[in-house]
């Protein structure tokens, strides 16, 4: 396509902002323009395209099919342009903001992040631990570490570690029943987060009938790190991913009574917007973290 076919960049920026906000006034505030100027730029773009991009309503605007197609590609193009500009002026090597789920952040990333900082002193990493999903557009994060199947729309996802799980408990709790010698022995002990599907899967694979404890017993702890701490304190048996608790196993704070592990097809992934796949700092961090995860899997 000839470069003469590219529409005015100002009009594209305005339409992209209006599409994100669903409102001309909000787009005007973001861009430091008047609402009239926003309307004018969109009119110019619609005339160049030869079709209506927005349907006007009393309380905002909505995209037409053509408008949705154009502005979604415009968002990606503007992100790529922003990354290229940042690389050109050298500011992409600044702060890398990472959102990470608690257990991965505490028991894997935090133990290795110093190596990345030594290898890449020009990138300052800011880490925020959160269970919730981040909105890359509004929350200001560059990458995130998430647990799941890796199928998040609009995001590039790379597998770091598969999710495997097995029961773990404190040595004292195991000794309280004379030791855990077979899987059925676990049923003599308090089960933490007993309604978690991982318990059903593991007991099914070891051919033991399992009925979850009554509602309200055993507690529901959420992140694995909390369940592990409860297990270390002797409160019950936790279903955990051994990869995250090697130190606790070595110190005998926890024991893994059976080699049998299960997985449910999920894993821990590094994710970032498709449109930012060419960012230098993201590529460097992704490559480093995937290498760390690969080395860990081989150890």
């Amino acid at each position: 396509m000839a470069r003469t076919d590219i529409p005015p960049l100002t009009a594209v920026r305005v339409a992209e902002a209006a599409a994100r906000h669903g409102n001309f006034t909000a787009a005007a505030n973001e861009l430091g323009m008047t609402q009239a100027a926003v309307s004018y730029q969109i009119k110019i773009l619609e005339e160049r395209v030869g079709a209506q991009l927005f349907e006007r309503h009393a309380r905002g605007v909505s995209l037409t099919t053509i408008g949705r197609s154009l502005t979604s590609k415009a968002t990606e193009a503007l992100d790529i342009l922003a990354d290229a500009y940042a690389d050109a002026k050298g500011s992409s090597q600044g702060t890398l903001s990472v959102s990470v789920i608690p257990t991965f952040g505490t028991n894997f990333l935090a133990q290795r992040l110093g190596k990345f900082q030594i290898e890449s002193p020009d990138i300052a990493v800011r880490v925020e631990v959160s269970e919730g999903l981040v909105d890359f557009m509004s929350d200001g994060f560059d990458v995130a570490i998430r647990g799941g199947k890796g199928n998040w729309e609009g995001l590039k996802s790379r597998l770091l570690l598969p999710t495997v799980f097995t029961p773990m408990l404190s040595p004292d709790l195991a000794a309280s029943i004379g030791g855990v010698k077979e899987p059925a022995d676990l049923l003599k002990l308090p089960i933490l987060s007993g309604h978690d599907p991982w318990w059903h899967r593991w007991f099914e694979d070891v051919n033991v009938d399992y009925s979850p404890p009554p509602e309200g017993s055993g507690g529901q702890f959420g992140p694995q790190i909390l369940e592990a701490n409860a297990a270390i304190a002797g409160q019950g048996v936790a279903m955990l991913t051994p990869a995250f608790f090697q130190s606790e196993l070595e110190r005998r704070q926890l024991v893994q009574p059976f080699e049998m592990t299960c997985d449910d097809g999920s894993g821990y992934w590094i994710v970032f917007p498709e449109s930012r796949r060419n960012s230098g700092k993201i590529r460097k961090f992704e490559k480093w973290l995937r290498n760390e995860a690969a080395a860990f899997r081989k150890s």
Side-chain angles (χ1 to χ4, degrees), residues 101 104 146-147 158-161 163 224 241 244 267-269:
I101 52 180
F104 190 98
R146 291 181 176 176
R158 303 283 194 182
L159 180 64
L160 298 172
L161 295 170
T163 301
Q224 283 195 53
T241 299
F244 293 141
Y268 296 91
W269 306 73

Side-chain angles (χ1 to χ4, degrees), residues 176-207:
S176 71
I177 58 169
V180 176
K181 301 179 180 63
E182 56 186 45
D185 289 338
L186 295 173
L187 300 179
K188 304 172 185 177
L189 298 168
I191 300 294
L192 302 176
S193 297
H195 291 270
D196 190 310
W198 285 5
W199 281 110
H200 293 272
R201 178 66 181 270
W202 192 86
F203 275 119
E204 181 180 16
D205 283 6
V206 295
N207 298 312

Side-chain angles (χ1 to χ4, degrees), residues 218-232:
Q220 296 293 323
F221 290 87
Q224 283 195 53
I225 186 66
L226 297 182
E227 293 197 10
N229 285 335
I232 290 170

Side-chain angles (χ1 to χ4, degrees), residues 31-47:
L31 299 171
M33 305 171 67
T34 65
Q35 184 176 345
V38 167
S39 297
Y40 176 71
Q41 291 295 328
I42 290 175
K43 180 181 178 182
I44 290 176
L45 188 58
E46 288 179 331
E47 289 176 350

Side-chain angles (χ1 to χ4, degrees), residues 62-229:
S62 60
L63 290 162
T64 64
T65 301
I66 294 175
R68 187 175 300 106
S69 175
L70 176 62
T71 56
S72 65
K73 291 182 174 65
T75 296
E76 180 175 353
L78 290 171
D79 284 341
I80 292 172
L81 179 59
D83 283 339
Y85 176 64
D87 283 335
K89 71 176 185 176
S91 65
S92 65
Q93 305 304 320
T95 299
L96 180 78
S97 297
V98 182
S99 172
V100 59
I101 52 180
T103 303
F104 190 98
T106 302
N107 287 33
F108 189 88
L109 183 60
Q111 299 173 9
R112 294 165 173 80
L113 194 56
K115 293 172 59 179
F116 179 77
Q117 296 284 211
I118 293 172
E119 295 171 14
S120 305
D122 52 346
I123 302 177
V125 181
R126 178 179 71 88
V127 177
E128 183 173 309
V129 176
S130 173
E131 276 283 278
L133 300 182
V134 301
D135 183 336
F136 286 98
M137 184 65 69
S138 62
D139 293 346
F141 288 101
D142 297 299
V143 301
I145 311 299
R146 291 181 176 176
K149 301 294 179 68
N151 51 350
W152 296 283
E153 185 177 357
L155 297 180
K156 193 77 173 177
S157 56
R158 303 283 194 182
L159 180 64
L160 298 172
L161 295 170
T163 301
V164 298
F165 46 90
T166 192
M168 298 169 71
L169 70 163
S170 73
D172 288 345
L173 185 63
S176 71
I177 58 169
V180 176
K181 301 179 180 63
E182 56 186 45
D185 289 338
L186 295 173
L187 300 179
K188 304 172 185 177
L189 298 168
I191 300 294
L192 302 176
S193 297
H195 291 270
D196 190 310
W198 285 5
W199 281 110
H200 293 272
R201 178 66 181 270
W202 192 86
F203 275 119
E204 181 180 16
D205 283 6
V206 295
N207 298 312
V208 172
D209 290 333
Y210 173 70
S211 297
E215 290 286 352
S217 63
Q220 296 293 323
F221 290 87
Q224 283 195 53
I225 186 66
L226 297 182
E227 293 197 10
N229 285 335

Side-chain angles (χ1 to χ4, degrees), residues 246-254:
Q246 292 303 302
S247 295
E248 289 80 0
L249 288 167
E250 291 171 3
R251 293 194 298 264
R252 294 286 295 174
Q253 292 176 296
L254 289 171

